Every structure is written in C-alpha cells, then in structure tokens.
Amino acid sequence: SGYGIATNLDLRVEYARNLCKIAARYDASAETTAVEDACSALESTESFGDKYEANNTLTDAVDALDLTLQNLSLSQEDESYRKSLTADIASYEMKIDKLATDFNAEIRQFNDHILGGFPANIFGGLTGINEVEEYA
C-alpha cells in the first residue's frame, strides 16, 4: 500500500503539529511545546528503537495536550477539528502497531534464519552485515 511504519509516523507528526495550531489559539503553551519537541525528536531519530521510544513520547504529549484542550472552551470548529485530529493520530498508531508486529516477525526470521544460518553466520562478520533492529 505504500504506507509503512515510517509513513504512519510522519502522518502522526503532521497531525500532531496541526493539533498544535489549534492549541496556539488557546492557553496550552506548555503542552504544545512538549508536542513540538516530541515531533522534532521523532523526526531526528534514526534507529527503529529510538523511533519507537520517540513515538511513545509523542503519544504521551498529544494525550496531555488533548486533555488540556478538552478542558478549555474551544470554538465549535476547533473542537470538531481537535476530535478529528486526535482520532486520526490514534488510528495511525493502531496501524503502526499492526505493521510493527508483521515487520518484527520478518526481522526475527531474517536475523535468525538468514544471518544466523550457514554460510551467513560464518561470513557475516567478514562482510559487516549486522542483525536488523526491531521496531520496539
């Protein structure tokens, strides 16, 4: 489909930043800063493990911002947009979870059966081919 873990992470960042645009009109600067920082951290990490951790941090920051926004008097349009964005952010997380399950199973199979099997287990060290990191 073209929508892998990386694409879904990018979409979560985009939607989280859109949520920050709503929050900018209200009193939620601390929470907005936390979301922006989490977005930047997720974009700047390289390893799958770091992306996993940064995505969890983004989830926590978005949840805190959403809770703050729920307790403010948002305009009807902003409230509708808030609900839509948070639903989309959660939906992409569910997609990531499903994709990660399949991805990690393939990674384990590659690491165990391809790199761990003959002759790769003998020549792997010579070629510099390392095990692939799981998204976890």
Side-chain angles (χ1 to χ4, degrees):
S1 69
Y3 287 98
I5 293 171
T7 300
N8 285 285
L9 289 171
D10 290 344
L11 289 167
R12 281 177 52 92
V13 166
E14 178 184 336
Y15 283 45
R17 286 201 166 119
N18 287 341
L19 189 62
C20 288
K21 290 176 184 175
I22 293 171
R25 295 190 284 269
Y26 301 92
D27 185 26
S29 62
E31 293 84 357
T32 301
T33 299
V35 170
E36 287 289 351
D37 290 347
C39 288
S40 295
L42 183 53
E43 290 175 321
S44 67
T45 71
E46 295 296 324
S47 76
F48 293 134
D50 289 345
K51 285 198 177 291
Y52 177 83
E53 292 300 324
N55 187 44
N56 286 337
T57 301
L58 177 60
T59 297
D60 293 343
V62 165
D63 289 347
L65 176 57
D66 183 47
L67 184 60
T68 297
L69 291 175
Q70 288 178 39
N71 292 319
L72 298 173
S73 296
L74 274 60
S75 70
Q76 185 176 0
E77 181 181 5
D78 285 347
E79 177 62 14
S80 175
Y81 197 36
R82 179 199 64 78
K83 287 179 182 178
S84 175
L85 286 169
T86 56
D88 287 340
I89 292 167
S91 174
Y92 286 118
E93 179 59 25
M94 288 187 283
K95 290 175 186 178
I96 290 167
D97 289 345
K98 182 185 179 326
L99 290 167
T101 299
D102 296 341
F103 176 80
N104 289 339
E106 289 182 30
I107 293 302
R108 282 190 293 278
Q109 182 168 340
F110 175 80
N111 288 339
D112 294 344
H113 300 290
I114 304 298
L115 290 182
F118 182 80
N121 61 352
I122 294 174
F123 297 113
L126 298 173
T127 62
I129 298 173
N130 298 316
E131 285 191 350
V132 178
E133 180 182 14
E134 292 183 33
Y135 179 80

